């Protein structure tokens, strides 16, 4: 079984804060589409698909990630991480941390997010029996070549 890749949208795929961000492609014809979607770099899609892992959306976009984000990246429909009380703080932990570890069920995983903290890292070490890479992305930059390279190296190392 391939490792899992839990993928956040706001921050890694839709950068925010900092300087102006480039935009890509035409805006959607529908007027209710979030204009931030234009910040998604379509070139990231093939890069993500080339990684030897199974991607899962882990984002407040929920099912909208499949409807709005995946087509811009050329990604197929992906499973979506669900959670109870979505968005509410889980004590000192990020609210995605427990559901991600539960979903993984011991399987190796990568989690790409701009909100990973030290508490999340230590909780995963204590509660997840397999290998895990928690990659914190700077939201001002979004997912970079260096980030993708780090994930690629980690997955290759795991495969040995
Ligand atoms: Mg985020």
């Amino acid at each position: 079984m391939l490792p899992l890749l839990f993928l956040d949208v706001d921050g890694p795929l839709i950068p925010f804060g900092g300087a102006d961000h480039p935009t890509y492609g035409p805006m959607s014809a529908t007027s209710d589409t979030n204009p931030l979607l234009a910040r998604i770099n379509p070139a990231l899609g093939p890069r993500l698909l080339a990684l030897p892992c199974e991607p899962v959306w882990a984002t407040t976009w929920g099912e909208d990630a499949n409807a709005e984000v995946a087509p811009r990246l050329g990604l197929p429909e992906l499973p979506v991480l669900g959670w109870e009380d979505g968005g509410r703080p889980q004590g000192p932990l990020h609210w995605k941390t427990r559901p991600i570890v539960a979903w993984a069920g011991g399987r190796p995983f990568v989690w790409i997010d701009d909100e990973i903290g030290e508490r999340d890292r230590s909780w995963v070490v204590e509660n997840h029996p397999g290998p895990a890479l928690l990659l914190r992305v700077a939201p001002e930059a979004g997912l970079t070549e260096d980030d993708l390279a780090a994930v690629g190296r980690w997955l290759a190392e795991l495969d040995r």
Side-chain angles (χ1 to χ4, degrees), residues 59-127:
T59 166
T60 49
W61 284 77
E63 288 294 341
D64 286 344
N66 278 323
E68 301 277 8
V69 180
R72 288 173 179 264
L73 292 163
L75 295 179
E77 190 168 315
L78 301 178
V80 178
L81 180 79
W83 47 79
E84 293 171 22
D85 299 332
R88 289 201 204 143
Q90 302 284 311
L93 290 182
H94 196 284
W95 46 267
K96 293 178 193 171
T97 309
R98 288 171 202 266
I100 281 174
V101 166
W103 180 299
R107 223 168 135 182
F109 72 85
V110 177
W111 175 19
I112 296 176
D113 206 295
D114 59 309
E115 293 183 339
I116 293 165
E118 288 313 309
R119 304 266 195 156
D120 303 302
R121 294 185 191 284
S122 52
W123 197 85
V124 168
V125 167
E126 285 162 20
N127 293 277

Side-chain angles (χ1 to χ4, degrees), residues 23-36:
T23 55
Y24 303 87
M27 290 302 300
S28 166
T30 58
S31 58
D32 58 348
T33 294
N34 188 329
L36 295 180

